[in-house]
Structure formats: structure tokens, C-alpha cells
């Protein structure tokens, strides 16, 4: 696969050996000493070596930091920032799923902005307080899900509130995203499926989000088409590089599209991650069908288009819209993901608190149908 370079809007390198270009890109950005932000699973999969060799090949020193969990905490981000300072680094190279990529973005905030981290919470207008003279960042995704490599936000769980907190600034977009399908080959089937559902949910929620944004809509639909074509293949044939590459593109495009906005599914997913440590993509997968049914009365034509893109046949718009949630359930089943929140230990007793937290989450402000806390409780209930 030949390397191609896209600038839409991020500089994106895509190709079978794209990771070997990390050193060259780091040099171009003026990085002389890099903090490599990763996590234990990525280190164990042996994915750091090629990056370190590529950096060393350009005379760039690097130090590893990989003490990061799947729902990363503020404490982990602070430890990473400390490692950055101790190493005397002047740039970050993040390799892994959304967790290390997001922590790397927070390292950029923590090492350049003077206020305590909670002051930069997006829900409190934190973006306006940032000078945003961030050190350069290269993002190398090893999951095909969050699209954080082209995203303007980072999500970590706040030490003060215990909530998943969003930090947002256009300049948080990494300077370069390096998409190398081979780096996702070692991803276990379950993680491939769950992260793929995060990508699919981004694109579906972006397409349904309020607002007039034909570019985001077009990108979202293409991303959904790629998920429909490649997710099952990537899960069942881990070495299928066409499928792996297709899912990396789908995930990246999902995050480009959700610049338009997300929706209530992400509001439901965030407390499941923060309170119950449910993987973010899995949380989305478990709530998405109920959300599609909930939104049907507000945007039936759009949901019919989604159904068609997911492969449902037929001409009658109402029938197509009705069948959309079923198509998502069928895909979830094909990739061996569980079919309800009960499988991750959620019961009726948890719903009141989860619904309160989901209602406080910002994502549902762009949902095509307004939702109350009561609606959120119902959505969790239907998803049990
Ligand atoms: N910034 C954003 O816009 C955005 C969007 C959605 C989600 N998120 C956040 O991203 C995080 C989840 O990210 P994720 O879904 O990519 O999961 P993740 O980063 O937690 O990775 C999941 C697991 O897969 C392992 N792994 C990753 N790549 C691997 C590989 N190639 N081979 C073997 N193992 C590998 C990791 O070690 C980890 O154990 C959550 O914290 C979520 O809130 C951020
Ligand atoms: Fe997400």
C-alpha cells in the first residue's frame, strides 16, 4: 500500500508502513526529545519499538510513559506531564487507543497552561482560558474507534468530580495523524468490535445531530458505509489489512464528522465509563439501538438513510427507519458483542444515578430530539 498524505483538516499519513515515517514527521515539527505516551497493552503488543527506531533514525531521543488505563484519570495525565518535564521533552508522540491519545493531549495542556486542570473543563468554558501554545504532537492510533487522532478534544476522568471531563480546543488536534493498519492487527477481537462501534456511533450521531453541515454529513455516511463493509471482517479476520485500513479510515472520518456534534448515546455512554468502567465503545454499542428508536420520531428520513447505508433494503421510508435499530443490533451480534447492559453488571438500581449524570453530560445538547433525565432513564432501561 503506497503512502498517501491528506490534509483534511489534519495532516494524515495512511499506509502499511506509515509508522516508519514518525521520525521524519517529528523532525519536521522540530521535536528533539519526545515523550512517547502509550499504555501497558500497547507496550506488550510490541508496537513501541518501530516508533522508537524511527525516531532514533532521525537523531530524536525518546522516553516512554505507559501507566494509563482504559478510562484514563487526571492523576495518570499528571504523572505523564511529570514524565514529560523530567525528560526535558519538547513534543509528544502518542501511540495507542483513545486513552493514550487523550492523555497526550492533556499533557500538552498541563505543561503549557498555568491554571489547575479543572479550570479548562469545556463544560465551564475552559477553551477560552487556554493560550493554546501547545507542544507538537504526533498521534498514532492502534485502535480504530475514537478518532482522537484528528479530534479537538480529550476526555479524562476528573479527580475533583469523578466525571468524564472534556477538554476542548481546536489547537488540541494533533499536528500529524499516522494511520498504519498493521498496528491494529494485534488488537483482540472484542476490542476491535467495541472500538469499531465507537466509530460507528460517532458517525451515526454526527449524521443525526442538529445543525446544517453537509460536509460532516457526507463524511459520516461514508464512514458508516466503511463500518458496514469492514467491521465484521476486521473482527473475524484480524490480518485482513484491507478491512483494518477501512476501519482506521472509518474511525478517523467519524471524528472529523462529529465536529458537527454528537448525541444522547454518548451522554449515556460517558457515565457507564466513569462509574462502572465499561469500555466506551461497548457502552455505545449497548445503548445505540434504543437511541435510534428514540430519535426516529424527530428525524425519520435521516434514520431511513442510515438504515439504507447499513444495508437494509426497501423503498418505504417508515419501514426503513423502523428497521434501523434492528440492523445495528444485527451488526452488534455478528461481531460478538453482548446484547444488553445487564451483561456489564448494570441493573435497575443503577439507573437513577446514571440518568442524572447522563443528563449533565453536554453531548445530548446536539441530539435531534430533546431529552429529559426521565428519557435517559428510559433509554438505559430499554437497553438493560
Ligand atoms: N477524544 C475523543 O474525541 C474521544 C472520543 C471517543 C472516546 N474517547 C476516549 O477514548 C478512550 C477509549 O479509547 P479506545 O476505545 O481506543 O480504547 P483504549 O485506548 O482504552 O484501548 C483499549 C485496550 O486495547 C489495548 N490496545 C490498543 N491497541 C492495541 C493493539 N494494537 N494491540 C493490542 N492491544 C491494543 C489497550 O492496551 C487497551 O487495553 C476512552 O477514555 C474514551 O472516553 C475519546
Ligand atoms: Fe466515542
Amino acid at each position: 500500500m503506497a503512502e498517501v498524505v491528506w490534509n483534511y483538516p489534519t495532516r494524515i499519513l495512511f499506509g502499511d508502513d506509515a509508522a516508519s515515517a514518525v521520525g521524519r514527521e517529528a523532525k519536521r515539527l522540530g521535536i528533539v526529545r519526545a515523550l512517547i505516551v502509550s499504555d501497558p497493552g500497547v507496550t506488550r503488543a510490541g508496537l513501541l519499538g518501530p516508533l522508537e527506531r524511527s525516531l532514533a533514525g532521525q537523531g530524536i531521543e525518546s522516553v516512554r510513559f505507559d501507566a494509563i488505563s482504559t478510562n484514563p484519570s487526571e492523576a495518570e495525565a499528571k504523572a505523564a506531564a511529570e514524565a514529560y518535564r523530567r525528560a526535558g521533552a519538547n513534543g509528544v508522540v502518542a501511540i495507542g487507543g483513545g486513552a493514550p491519545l487523550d492523555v497526550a493531549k492533556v499533557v500538552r495542556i498541563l505543561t503549557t497552561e498555568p491554571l489547575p486542570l479543572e479550570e479548562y473543563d469545556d463544560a465551564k468554558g475552559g477553551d477560552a482560558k487556554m493560550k493554546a501554545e501547545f507542544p507538537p504532537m504526533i498521534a498514532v492510533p492502534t485502535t480504530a474507534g475514537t478518532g482522537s487522532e484528528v479530534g479537538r478534544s480529550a476526555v479524562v476522568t476528573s479527580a475533583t468530580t469523578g466525571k468524564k471531563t472534556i477538554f476542548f480546543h481546536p489547537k488540541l488536534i494533533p499536528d500529524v495523524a499516522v494511520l498504519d493498519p498493521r498496528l491494529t492487527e494485534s488488537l483482540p477481537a472484542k476490542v476491535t468490535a467495541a472500538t469499531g462501534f465507537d466509530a460507528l456511533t460517532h458517525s451515526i450521531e454526527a449524521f443525526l445531530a442538529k445543525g446544517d453541515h453537509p460536509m460532516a454529513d457526507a463524511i459520516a455516511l461514508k464512514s458508516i458505509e466503511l463500518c458496514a463493509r469492514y467491521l465484521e471482517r476486521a473482527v473475524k479476520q484480524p490480518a485482513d489489512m484491507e478491512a483494518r485500513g477501512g476501519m482506521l479510515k472509518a474511525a478517523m472520518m467519524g471524528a472529523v464528522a462529529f465536529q458537527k456534534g454528537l448525541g444522547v448515546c454518548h451522554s449515556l455512554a460517558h457515565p457507564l465509563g466513569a462509574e462502572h468502567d465499561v469500555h466506551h465503545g461497548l457502552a455505545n454499542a449497548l445503548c445505540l439501538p434504543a437511541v435510534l428508536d428514540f430519535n426516529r420520531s424527530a428525524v425519520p428520513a435521516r434514520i431511513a438513510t442510515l438504515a439504507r447505508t447499513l444495508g437494509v433494503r426497501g423503498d418505504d421510508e417508515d419501514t426503513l427507519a423502523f428497521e434501523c435499530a434492528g440492523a445495528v443490533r444485527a451488526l452488534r451480534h455478528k461481531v460478538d458483542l453482548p446484547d444488553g447492559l445487564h451483561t456489564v453488571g448494570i441493573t435497575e438500581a443503577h439507573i437513577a444515578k446514571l440518568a442524572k449524570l447522563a443528563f449533565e453530560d453536554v453531548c445530548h445538547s446536539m441530539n435531534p430530539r430533546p431529552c429529559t433525565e426521565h428519557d435517559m432513564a428510559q433509554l438505559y432501561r430499554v437497553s438493560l
Side-chain angles (χ1 to χ4, degrees), residues 319-358:
T319 313
L320 281 166
F322 182 77
E323 288 181 4
C324 190
V328 168
R329 271 193 208 96
L331 180 59
R332 191 174 68 184
H333 182 71
K334 278 190 208 154
V335 298
D336 296 327
L337 285 177
D339 62 1
L341 288 171
H342 69 280
T343 62
V344 291
I346 307 297
T347 66
E348 176 66 37
H350 298 115
I351 288 181
K353 182 166 187 207
L354 286 169
K356 180 173 178 294
L357 293 169

Side-chain angles (χ1 to χ4, degrees), residues 74-75 78 116-119 121 124 157-163 165:
E74 183 177 335
K78 283 187 170 152
L117 188 61
E118 65 253 32
E119 293 289 323
D121 180 349
K124 300 182 195 151
T157 304
S158 156
T160 343
T161 63
K163 283 188 206 161
T165 307

Side-chain angles (χ1 to χ4, degrees), residues 75-148:
E76 290 166 346
K78 283 187 170 152
E82 190 45 43
Y84 180 92
R85 288 193 196 94
R86 233 182 300 121
N90 74 332
V92 269
V93 177
I95 174 163
L101 267 51
D102 282 6
V103 167
K105 290 179 186 173
V106 177
V107 165
R108 299 166 91 195
I109 299 173
L110 286 168
T111 54
T112 50
E113 304 288 348
L115 300 173
L117 188 61
E118 65 253 32
E119 293 289 323
Y120 300 109
D121 180 349
D122 184 48
K124 300 182 195 151
D127 58 330
K129 296 180 198 160
M130 294 188 212
K131 288 196 298 297
E133 284 153 10
F134 300 132
M137 171 172 173
I138 299 175
V140 188
T142 64
T143 66
T146 71
S148 183

